[in-house]
Amino acid sequence: MVEISIRNSLIGAGLLSAALLSQQVSAHGYVVSPESRGYACKLGQNADCGAIIWEPQSLEAPKGFPQSGPADGRIASAGAAHFAPLDAQTATRWSKRNLQPGSNRFTWRFTANHSTHTWRYFITRQGWNPNLPLSRSSFDLTPFCSVEGNYRQPPMEVTHTCNVPNRSGYHVILAVWDIGDTANAFYNVIDVNVGGTGGGGTTTTWQDIGDINPLADLKPGDSVRARFFEAAGENTGLETRITINSTDEGRKATWTKLLAEAINREHTDVKAGRLDAQGTITPVSGRNDVYVLSGAGVQRVEVSIEAATNPGDGGTDNPDNGGGGGGGGTYDHVYPQNISSYKAGTRVLARNGKVYECKPFPYSGWCTIPAWQYEPGAGPNWQDAWIAR
C-alpha cells in the first residue's frame, strides 16, 4: 500500500517573498473563548463565512490600530479580500456570545506563538449602529484591557482576565494581538450579548485539533485512518480506520462523513463533525472538524489515505504516475496524493485533467499545504504555488 499523509496545517493565503515566508508561517493566532467571529464560523455557529472556516488564525494586517491597521469597513476581515464575508454587519447577521459586564476571560490559541508586544481589547461605544460596517467610529478607541507581551514568546494558549465596560445588548469586541518582531498584528472581532444569560466568561468544552478535509475522491479498496497525537507521541488506542467499499463511499463528500461517524462511534474523548451552539457534534458531508474533550491531552490529528496498490502496476511505489516528471503532459502524482512530498518541480495531475508544476522556492512550500485554496487549477490562490503546464 502507498500511504499519503494529509496534514492539518492551514496558512494564510497571499503571494510570498523569501522575507515574508518566514514571517507568515511563524505567527498566527485567534480568540477561541469567547468565540471570535471567524472561529464561530469554523465551528459552524455562523453560516456563509467563506474561506475563514479553513484558517481563522490568519486575520493579519499592519499593526498600530487605530492609527493604522485594516481600513474602516474591513476591520473584521483584517483587510483580506478572501475573508471579506466577515465584514458583513447587521444586528442579526452573526451569532453572539453571552457575557456580563465586569471580569471576563479571553483565551487566544496560537498555531505559532510569536514574540508579542501587547494584546489589546476594544469594545463598540454606547449608541453604535450595528447595521453599519465596522469602523473606527464604531469603537471606543481607548482599549478597555491591555496586556504587555514583553517581547516574549507566549505559550500556545494564553488567557487574559479583563473587565468589560458596562454595556447592554449587542456589542462587538475587537481583540488585537500586536506582534513583537514584525510590522503586523492579528485582528479578531467577537460578537457579544452583554448582560445575556450565561455570561461571566465562557469555557470551551471541546477543543478543535484539526480537520477531515475532502481533498480527493477515493477508490474501492483504499482506506483512510485518523491518527491522534499527544505531547509524548501518538496515542495508538485512538486510531480510527475505514475502508472504502464502493465508488459511492469513495466520493470525497461521503468518505469524510463516514470517517467522522466512525470516530464518534468508537470514542468518547474525541469527536468529529460540526459543533453547534448546544455543544452537539454532528458528522456532515464534506469537511468535518475534529475535536478533543478539554483535558484529554490530545493535541493534533493526522488523516492518512492508504491507496490500494494497483495489481497491474508491477508493485511500483507510485501507482498514480502518468509517465514520469519530464515534459509534455507527464506528471509525478495525482493531486493531492503524496502531497507532503511535493517540492519545486513536482508535477501533478489536477482534477480538471491538466498538469501543474510546483513553483521554485520560496513558493514551493505552498504546494504541500492541503487546503482547498491551493488546489491546482481550482483554488482561488492556486497560482501562488503552481504553474500550468
Side-chain angles (χ1 to χ4, degrees):
M1 285 193 167
V2 180
E3 180 175 307
I4 303 94
S5 292
I6 301 178
R7 298 185 182 276
N8 293 281
S9 56
L10 298 176
I11 303 177
L15 291 174
L16 299 177
S17 66
L20 286 177
L21 181 61
S22 62
Q23 292 183 10
Q24 290 200 4
V25 299
S26 62
H28 291 84
Y30 55 110
V31 179
V32 296
S33 181
E35 298 97 317
S36 60
R37 185 177 292 182
Y39 185 51
C41 286
K42 179 177 175 62
L43 296 178
Q45 296 170 4
N46 287 324
D48 301 322
C49 299
I52 195 64
I53 63 173
W54 294 93
E55 42 185 328
Q57 72 274 17
S58 298
L59 291 164
E60 184 177 13
K63 63 185 176 186
F65 185 88
Q67 290 78 15
S68 58
D72 286 350
R74 304 184 67 188
I75 293 173
S77 68
H82 48 291
F83 297 141
L86 291 180
D87 292 320
Q89 182 61 52
T90 73
T92 58
R93 173 64 179 88
W94 305 106
S95 61
K96 302 169 181 64
R97 312 301 119 215
N98 292 321
L99 55 78
Q100 301 295 331
S103 180
N104 283 268
R105 292 162 59 87
F106 295 85
T107 299
W108 286 82
R109 181 176 301 154
F110 306 112
T111 56
N113 47 342
H114 210 282
S115 168
T116 300
H117 179 258
T118 53
W119 291 273
R120 295 177 298 146
Y121 298 86
F122 304 83
I123 192 169
T124 44
R125 59 181 176 79
Q126 295 278 22
W128 76 293
N129 188 337
N131 294 305
L132 293 178
L134 291 174
S135 66
R136 283 158 177 77
S137 64
S138 304
F139 291 91
D140 180 345
L141 296 180
T142 299
F144 67 83
C145 184
S146 184
V147 180
E148 292 297 323
N150 299 312
Y151 294 94
R152 294 178 182 150
Q153 188 177 19
M156 296 306 289
E157 193 166 283
V158 65
T159 297
H160 304 134
T161 300
C162 298
N163 285 317
V164 174
N166 188 21
R167 299 283 196 274
S168 63
Y170 176 34
H171 282 272
V172 174
I173 292 173
L174 172 62
V176 182
W177 174 33
D178 294 312
I179 303 305
D181 55 4
T182 79
N184 289 342
F186 287 80
Y187 295 84
N188 278 207
V189 298
I190 309 165
D191 299 283
V192 297
N193 180 27
V194 185
T197 303
T202 61
T203 57
T204 303
T205 301
W206 290 103
Q207 178 181 340
D208 186 341
I209 59 169
D211 309 289
I212 303 171
N213 290 318
L215 292 177
D217 292 331
L218 304 182
K219 298 177 181 179
D222 293 349
S223 62
V224 190
R225 61 174 176 160
R227 303 167 61 198
F228 296 87
F229 294 82
E230 301 172 347
E234 183 176 1
N235 183 335
T236 56
L238 293 176
E239 179 179 312
T240 306
R241 181 189 295 265
I242 63 169
T243 299
I244 304 304
N245 297 310
S246 66
T247 300
D248 285 341
E249 286 188 2
R251 300 186 193 282
K252 59 186 177 182
T254 302
W255 69 256
T256 47
K257 182 179 181 182
L258 292 175
L259 180 59
E261 290 174 340
I263 291 171
N264 294 0
R265 184 169 58 249
E266 296 177 18
H267 307 294
T268 57
D269 286 353
V270 293
K271 297 290 182 181
R274 295 288 176 86
L275 177 66
D276 63 24
Q278 288 71 46
T280 301
I281 300 172
T282 305
V284 296
S285 298
R287 183 184 64 85
N288 285 262
D289 298 304
V290 182
Y291 299 92
V292 60
L293 197 64
S294 294
V298 180
Q299 297 181 345
R300 63 186 177 91
V301 62
E302 290 185 9
V303 177
S304 300
I305 299 171
E306 293 179 354
T309 301
N310 185 344
D313 67 9
T316 178
D317 288 335
N318 189 18
D320 59 317
N321 192 290
T330 57
Y331 52 90
D332 301 301
H333 307 285
V334 175
Y335 186 87
Q337 291 185 343
N338 291 327
I339 190 169
S340 63
S341 70
Y342 296 174
K343 59 186 178 181
T346 296
R347 291 193 174 195
V348 299
L349 178 66
R351 59 174 171 162
N352 62 7
K354 297 181 180 180
V355 173
Y356 296 82
E357 182 176 312
C358 183
K359 284 185 173 183
F361 179 85
Y363 308 100
S364 54
W366 295 112
C367 301
T368 65
I369 303 301
W372 68 272
Q373 291 96 326
Y374 308 109
E375 182 180 348
N381 302 105
W382 73 264
Q383 291 176 314
D384 293 356
W386 302 98
I387 301 168
R389 292 304 186 191

